[in-house]
Amino acid sequence: MDSKQFRECGKAVIDMLADYYDNIRNRNVLPSLDPGYLIKSAPENAPEQPEEWENVLKDFSETVMPGLTHWQSPQFHAYYPTGGSYASTVGSLLCDGIAVMGFTWIASPACTELEVITMNWLGKLLGLPEEFLNCSAGPGGGIIQGSASEATLVGLLAAKDKMIRRLLENDPDADEDLLKTKFVAYTSDQCNSSVEKAGVLGSMKMRLLKSDSNCKLRGETLKKAFEEDKAQGLIPCYVIANVGTTGTCAYDPLYELGPVCKEENVWLHVDAAYAGAACVCLEYRHIIKGVEFADSFDVNVHKWLLVNFDCSAMWVKDSYDLINAFDVQRIYLDDVKSEVRVPDYRHWQMPLGRRFRSLKLWTVLKMYGAEGLRSHIRNHISLAQHFVKLVRADERFVVEPEPTMGLVCFRLKNGDKLTKQLLENLTAAKEVFMVACTYRSRYVIRFVICSRFTTKEDIEVSWNIIAREANRLVCPSVI
Ligand code: PLP
């Protein structure tokens, strides 16, 4: 492809995407296909000869497009949102188009510096304490990781390194390998799978502590777990607090967990992958009360802040905790020397290579402005409240727990079996997509506002489909 073809093809792709979004309501959210649909029909080998771009786009429309689950459809209510916006796509296009790497400052100065700037902007928008920001006098700062999973693992590995250093300082003859086997991480039984996985990947025992009846991990429970483990000669090392659990969007009280961690010098990481985004609105900042106790904090900008995957914003209070843990030198990777505090981000993350991810964050922050982001969050929350009203008006259903953010959990009063059947029937019909979780041992359906296109009318469309399927399973509502 030469530059002339790139211009033509690029314009055609932009038109194709704009058409896709303009007509997204014409498609079922779930595809009607069996597993292997593409694998069975695709050629066994890559083409020997180049194909015309027109043919490639045609092939995309005919074979790839039918196999999509439409995450940006207003009838997509599963998991949590994956962010997307035209503004972000423009940033992604620029990032791919210029194709630079940013592992050291000199590898591409703008790549590092724009990340510092956007992470300071976003940190301030979320109301994070100054110590987390690169613009403060201290060693704190923000980095864009690929995912919340990576952020949790990076925090765990840094916590392990920090604890080892501290223990060896007190007892230089201690057996480092033996000490590492005694380290324990703690989180709640409501944590995302990625949190538990960080323990597996980082070789640290991870205890999933029992949450209270509101799905929160309480300070008392954590304190007791520390005491139990210390009595057995184990060493508490890392705690992951969940601000907005994946199941029911519960918030662990940082103001309770923080002092417990501080007392034992244990690293506190906050996984605020979804709900943390709401902190751009002053009225929701209470969910991170106590964040000043945290050592690291992560929010998936690629979930609820209109930036396309991957863009997970992680802040640390002391960047030297990461640098000490991950610094590996080579002659061809010269660190930056500067009066201005400029990070060499390769020491803050797992891979060496790094994309210019801040470009899409920058285009979104500039093209939406803080007000645009706030109104996006508030709009999703008010749409969720509209859904709550519709469900509560139908006597066959219960909404519980009390909804928060853009998530509403509900179930049929007639029992878990019927609720499960309802979800299975809805998935089979392919018009709305939701997933389940459990709350107080009951099976509940999670309904999340995900698409940036969703309107009140779309919520009513989704609800009517749910009510229609409920009518087939249980008596129609008398209301
Ligand atoms: N934490 C929470 C609370 C989540 O809901 C999710 C994903 O939905 C994750 C972490 C994992 O995010 P990622 O896919 O960015 O690793």
Side-chain angles (χ1 to χ4, degrees):
M1 178 177 270
D2 60 20
S3 66
K4 181 172 174 291
Q5 289 164 322
F6 175 61
R7 284 176 204 279
E8 289 165 4
C9 177
K11 285 169 191 159
V13 168
I14 298 287
D15 278 342
M16 181 190 256
L17 289 175
D19 288 344
Y20 169 70
Y21 285 121
D22 284 349
N23 297 298
I24 196 147
R25 287 180 183 78
N26 298 341
R27 297 172 188 269
N28 273 348
V29 60
L30 285 168
S32 294
L33 299 157
D34 293 322
Y37 94 96
L38 192 55
I39 295 168
K40 281 191 281 187
S41 63
E44 271 181 35
N45 298 306
E48 273 304 323
Q49 300 302 325
E51 292 180 20
E52 296 298 330
W53 66 260
E54 288 92 340
N55 281 348
V56 178
L57 291 194
K58 187 165 172 284
D59 209 12
F60 172 83
S61 297
E62 288 170 3
T63 63
V64 178
M65 193 55 110
L68 295 183
T69 296
H70 300 284
W71 281 68
Q72 307 305 327
S73 159
Q75 266 68 54
F76 185 100
H77 303 292
Y79 316 113
Y80 275 137
T82 192
S85 62
Y86 294 127
S88 175
T89 304
V90 167
S92 298
L93 191 57
L94 290 172
C95 169
D96 270 15
I98 56 175
V100 298
M101 273 282 164
F103 40 73
T104 56
W105 180 82
I106 193 63
S108 206
C111 189
T112 296
E113 298 201 13
L114 197 67
E115 189 155 330
V116 170
I117 294 164
T118 49
M119 288 299 287
N120 283 334
W121 285 1
L122 185 61
K124 286 184 193 171
L125 281 184
L126 296 172
L128 292 183
E130 270 245 319
E131 295 154 277
F132 284 105
L133 307 182
N134 186 282
C135 51
S136 70
I143 173 172
I144 303 177
Q145 305 281 2
S147 61
S149 314
E150 286 166 61
T152 307
L153 179 56
V154 162
L156 181 143
L157 297 172
K160 200 172 181 177
D161 181 80
K162 189 172 186 174
M163 186 62 86
I164 277 290
R165 282 171 200 274
R166 185 179 302 133
L167 296 174
L168 290 180
E169 230 174 78
N170 291 340
D171 178 6
D173 297 328
D175 179 340
E176 184 176 330
D177 291 336
L178 182 66
L179 284 175
K180 280 183 182 162
T181 64
K182 298 182 176 192
F183 289 173
V184 186
Y186 306 81
T187 188
S188 91
D189 53 8
Q190 302 296 314
C191 74
N192 184 261
S193 63
S194 59
V195 172
E196 192 174 340
K197 195 170 176 180
V200 176
L201 292 168
S203 303
M204 195 184 292
K205 178 183 171 186
M206 172 92 59
R207 287 188 63 186
L208 307 190
L209 304 175
K210 195 166 167 21
S211 51
D212 73 4
S213 59
N214 293 315
C215 303
K216 294 170 190 284
L217 174 61
R218 307 305 300 261
E220 276 297 295
T221 311
L222 182 66
K223 199 172 162 61
K224 197 161 153 273
F226 279 8
E227 277 157 15
E228 283 164 6
D229 285 347
K230 283 196 304 176
Q232 290 187 51
L234 299 173
I235 305 167
C237 179
Y238 187 52
V239 169
I240 305 102
N242 309 282
V243 170
T245 57
T246 310
T248 62
C249 201
Y251 314 111
D252 292 341
L254 303 180
Y255 51 88
E256 287 184 17
L257 303 178
V260 179
C261 292
K262 196 169 176 200
E263 210 178 304
E264 295 291 337
N265 266 321
V266 169
W267 184 300
L268 176 62
H269 175 74
V270 180
D271 176 16
Y274 165 70
C279 295
V280 295
C281 305
L282 205 55
E283 67 271 28
Y284 299 115
R285 293 240 177 107
H286 60 89
I287 66 172
I288 56 164
K289 184 176 159 210
V291 69
E292 62 280 6
F293 288 105
D295 295 280
S296 52
F297 180 90
D298 185 77
V299 57
N300 271 350
V301 186
H302 65 239
K303 271 191 164 51
W304 205 13
L305 283 176
L306 295 159
V307 176
N308 287 62
F309 191 83
D310 53 351
C311 186
S312 193
M314 180 190 195
W315 289 268
V316 287
K317 256 198 205 141
D318 188 348
S319 55
Y320 289 103
D321 291 338
L322 304 183
I323 297 165
N324 290 339
F326 305 134
D327 182 355
V328 175
Q329 293 293 333
R330 286 290 182 274
I331 195 164
Y332 47 81
L333 295 171
D334 222 6
D335 282 351
V336 61
K337 289 156 199 73
S338 153
E339 304 242 304
V340 183
R341 203 154 66 81
V342 182
D344 274 304
Y345 275 129
R346 71 190 174 97
H347 303 312
W348 297 41
Q349 62 170 19
M350 287 185 285
L352 172 61
R354 59 195 333 267
R355 309 178 66 215
F356 200 162
R357 283 188 287 230
S358 60
L359 265 176
K360 58 190 172 184
L361 176 55
W362 185 67
T363 49
V364 166
L365 290 171
K366 281 173 82 73
M367 292 186 197
Y368 277 87
E371 269 313 312
L373 296 179
R374 288 183 197 117
S375 67
H376 171 66
I377 298 285
R378 287 182 183 132
N379 181 40
H380 272 198
I381 295 172
S382 89
L383 289 170
Q385 284 162 1
H386 183 57
F387 183 74
V388 171
K389 261 191 231 147
L390 297 171
V391 183
R392 285 203 169 131
D394 188 322
E395 59 177 11
R396 299 168 299 177
F397 288 93
V398 186
V399 173
E400 64 176 16
E402 195 48 40
T404 174
M405 302 299 164
L407 169 68
V408 183
C409 297
F410 66 103
R411 64 180 170 83
L412 280 164
K413 281 181 190 160
N414 276 359
D416 291 357
K417 241 173 111 177
L418 269 182
T419 307
K420 190 162 184 279
Q421 189 62 57
L422 174 64
L423 182 60
E424 280 171 14
N425 293 356
L426 284 162
T427 306
K430 303 181 188 309
E431 296 154 285
V432 289
F433 186 31
M434 298 173 289
V435 293
C437 75
T438 50
Y439 174 68
R440 296 186 181 169
S441 308
R442 300 299 302 263
Y443 184 97
V444 295
I445 301 176
R446 296 169 74 262
F447 180 97
V448 189
I449 313 296
C450 290
S451 167
R452 68 186 191 276
F453 301 113
T454 311
T455 62
K456 223 168 150 185
E457 291 69 40
D458 291 314
I459 297 298
E460 283 156 19
V461 168
S462 292
W463 169 247
N464 288 337
I465 296 167
I466 295 166
R468 181 196 74 204
E469 291 302 321
N471 290 347
R472 290 181 182 156
L473 267 185
V474 287
C475 288
S477 169
V478 289
I479 293 175

